[in-house]
Amino acid sequence: MGKTGTKGFTTIVLLLVIVGLAYYVHLSNRNRNQKEERAKTEVEQLLQYDFENDYPKTVRETVKLHCRYMKCAYNKGFSDEELIVANQNIRKLFDEELLKFNTEQSQLTGLKDEIALYDENKQKFVSYSLSESSQIQYNEEGGQEYAKMKVGIVIKAGSSTLSGDEEYILRKDSQGYWKILGWQAIKKDTTEGESN
């Protein structure tokens, strides 16, 4: 092999090494970005939730997202400033009718009062369990679609664990999104910390 052939071979090897390094750097950056995305805290995920492009597709997903916000709020996961953003996001899950009777400021005040009550009573929102999709009740009234769904809630208060059910009522809007019309507690009982 002459001098020119060695030079050509060295150039090709050098180019392959550079391409290999560039590809390695690209993969490393992609993996790092994916890990950072996965490492977002629940608070960050909720505050940055993209309602425009990722509104929940089903009744169950809509209620689950609402429960995630409530659990984080009641457990003091949000700072005062973050709670304002979280409250605005929660309102995006609400039906127009509920929004009419519930101003943003009154909702925020109510949420702060409930959080303070939880704190005062040393309560912690432990978990929620959603009804299976097959248990959701659907009906149509006046040309509008409605859904009713139960959620089991578990709250820790001192050494006691309180559980109860809440019932959500949702209505499908003109864009096909399920929006929350309201919810209420339908059953409460103490399950642990009491003697039978």
Side-chain angles (χ1 to χ4, degrees):
M1 203 184 279
K3 219 176 185 182
T4 336
T6 306
K7 219 178 194 183
F9 178 74
T10 305
T11 305
I12 289 172
V13 169
L14 188 58
L15 282 174
L16 287 173
V17 168
I18 291 170
V19 168
L21 284 173
Y23 185 68
Y24 173 77
V25 168
H26 167 73
L27 285 179
S28 295
N29 285 338
R30 191 174 77 182
N31 287 340
R32 188 179 322 120
N33 290 340
Q34 287 173 344
K35 285 178 186 172
E36 286 172 7
E37 186 66 30
R38 273 184 259 137
K40 275 187 184 174
T41 66
E42 178 74 347
V43 168
E44 290 169 330
Q45 289 176 31
L46 293 172
L47 292 175
Q48 297 168 11
Y49 194 89
D50 184 3
F51 285 89
E52 191 74 29
N53 297 308
D54 198 23
Y55 191 89
K57 308 278 186 275
T58 65
V59 169
R60 201 167 188 276
E61 288 175 10
T62 303
V63 172
K64 181 179 181 179
L65 184 56
H66 185 258
C67 289
R68 287 174 61 197
Y69 276 104
M70 294 295 96
K71 182 178 180 185
C72 201
Y74 290 152
N75 291 342
K76 297 179 78 175
F78 299 117
S79 68
D80 288 343
E81 295 78 25
E82 290 170 339
L83 190 61
I84 293 168
V85 175
N87 187 58
Q88 291 167 347
N89 285 353
I90 291 167
R91 292 177 63 78
K92 293 175 184 173
L93 296 169
F94 289 176
D95 185 89
E96 286 297 320
E97 192 174 322
L98 179 56
L99 292 174
K100 268 190 244 177
F101 296 103
N102 195 12
T103 68
E104 186 176 334
Q105 188 54 51
S106 68
Q107 180 180 325
L108 182 60
T109 301
L111 187 54
K112 285 180 177 180
D113 290 346
E114 289 174 18
I115 292 167
L117 188 61
Y118 261 65
D119 195 37
E120 184 181 310
N121 292 325
K122 297 183 180 8
Q123 293 176 321
K124 181 173 174 56
F125 190 136
V126 177
S127 66
Y128 55 87
S129 57
L130 305 170
S131 297
E132 294 300 321
S133 297
S134 60
Q135 297 172 316
I136 299 170
Q137 299 171 11
Y138 294 93
N139 72 310
E140 195 171 315
E141 218 175 278
Q144 294 189 302
E145 294 180 64
Y146 293 86
K148 197 185 292 185
M149 177 182 168
K150 287 185 185 172
V151 177
I153 305 289
V154 177
I155 297 166
K156 186 103 170 136
S159 63
S160 297
T161 301
L162 310 170
S163 66
D165 290 332
E166 292 185 344
E167 184 174 71
Y168 280 77
I169 298 174
L170 296 90
R171 176 166 56 190
K172 193 179 271 192
D173 72 4
S174 59
Q175 295 178 291
Y177 296 137
W178 286 102
K179 299 284 187 162
I180 298 170
L181 264 172
W183 69 96
Q184 64 180 358
I186 55 174
K187 176 183 145 191
K188 288 183 184 177
D189 64 297
T190 304
T191 57
E192 291 177 21
E194 283 188 358
S195 35
N196 292 334

